[in-house]
Amino acid sequence: DIQMTQSPSTLSASIGDRVTITCRASQDISRWLAWYQQKPGNAPKFLIYKASTLQSGVPSRFSGSGSGTEFTLTISSLQPDDFATYYCQHYDSYFPVTFGGGTRVEIK
Amino acid sequence: QVQLQESGPGLVKPSETLSLTCDVSAYSISGGFYWGWIRQPPGKGLEWIATIYQSGSTYYNPSLESRVTILADTSKKQFSLRLSSVTAADTAVYYCARAQRWGGGLYGYYFDYWGQGTLVTVSS
């Protein structure tokens, strides 16, 4: 299976900060990567697919980049609604879907 | 907009079979999308369980495949999950979701719409 490793596991930031979360795949997954946001007690919300394409309705302060084995999710100016846990997920079609361990973004 | 809702027992005894149903509204499950189950143990990360296309093609996480069955009933607009021989390690919130399929292999999907999730506890 492909292992997805996120860093950091927890990130403390303030409103207005630029925030970057890293996701590394244990092997080349091209750009087959999705990102999700999850708030406590809620289901994950789909944000990004194909590493950098925003789902309709996702604020433009979110962006994704990367290819191969290293990917990033960036929030350009952190808003109160953005405090949550973020997960990456590969969808290379030749290997079972796996998710990263999550990055919790908390208030500094 | 598509909506999904899980239902089923919240408590299952060890060694028994967990059965959950996902009702889909505002979209036909016999359309062009795939449908799947994902779970999340309390305080932990996400694990893909299984995916189905219409009432036919099924795809399972190899780590769970021997115990899992996913089925779809297009007339009822619902799909279901059965997980046999459960243990405490199967305690989790179980989510159903719509899957977008990519690539030529068995496993290329991401999940764009999710149900709210249902907690299933395995305990005697």
Side-chain angles (χ1 to χ4, degrees):
Chain A
D1 289 5
I2 297 175
Q3 307 303 316
M4 306 301 294
T5 304
Q6 289 184 233
S7 60
S9 55
T10 305
L11 185 161
S12 298
S14 302
I15 302 298
D17 284 354
R18 182 180 180 89
V19 166
T20 299
I21 297 167
T22 298
C23 175
R24 290 186 173 87
S26 60
Q27 63 189 72
D28 189 339
I29 57 168
S30 185
R31 293 175 59 82
W32 304 120
L33 188 93
W35 288 97
Y36 302 85
Q37 175 195 68
Q38 186 179 35
K39 297 181 181 179
N42 288 354
K45 174 187 174 183
F46 173 58
L47 298 177
I48 287 172
Y49 65 99
K50 211 169 182 184
S52 62
T53 304
L54 257 62
Q55 170 73 336
S56 175
V58 173
S60 58
R61 64 181 180 273
F62 289 90
S63 64
S65 65
S67 66
T69 62
E70 187 152 336
F71 303 85
T72 59
L73 173 70
T74 299
I75 308 172
S76 61
S77 178
L78 197 65
Q79 299 302 302
D81 192 48
D82 301 337
F83 291 98
T85 299
Y86 294 84
Y87 292 94
C88 62
Q89 176 226 319
H90 91 79
Y91 55 102
D92 182 311
S93 68
Y94 295 97
F95 298 89
V97 162
T98 50
F99 294 84
T103 294
R104 182 182 171 212
V105 177
E106 62 179 27
I107 300 173
K108 194 172 193 178
Chain B
Q1 158 170 327
V2 62
Q3 294 184 321
L4 302 97
Q5 177 67 59
E6 305 88 351
S7 61
L11 181 64
V12 180
K13 290 183 169 55
S15 81
E16 296 189 344
T17 296
L18 176 162
S19 295
L20 296 173
T21 298
C22 182
D23 288 291
V24 179
S25 57
Y27 198 85
S28 169
I29 65 170
S30 58
F33 291 98
Y34 290 63
W35 306 89
W37 289 94
I38 302 101
R39 69 180 182 178
Q40 185 173 35
K44 296 188 178 180
L46 299 159
E47 180 181 33
W48 168 67
I49 303 170
T51 303
I52 189 166
Y53 180 62
Q54 298 185 349
S55 297
S57 303
T58 56
Y59 309 88
Y60 297 107
N61 188 326
S63 68
L64 297 168
E65 185 168 9
S66 63
R67 299 193 291 132
V68 175
T69 303
I70 187 171
L71 297 169
D73 186 333
T74 55
S75 65
K76 293 183 178 179
K77 299 184 70 175
Q78 62 183 206
F79 59 104
S80 62
L81 175 74
R82 291 171 55 87
L83 179 65
S84 65
S85 305
V86 298
T87 69
D90 296 309
T91 293
V93 175
Y94 286 76
Y95 296 101
C96 60
R98 190 179 80 170
Q100 295 266 13
R101 175 74 186 271
W102 289 85
L106 299 178
Y107 302 116
Y109 0 84
Y110 59 81
F111 304 95
D112 59 355
Y113 289 94
W114 296 60
Q116 66 184 29
T118 186
L119 174 62
V120 179
T121 301
V122 178
S123 175
S124 56

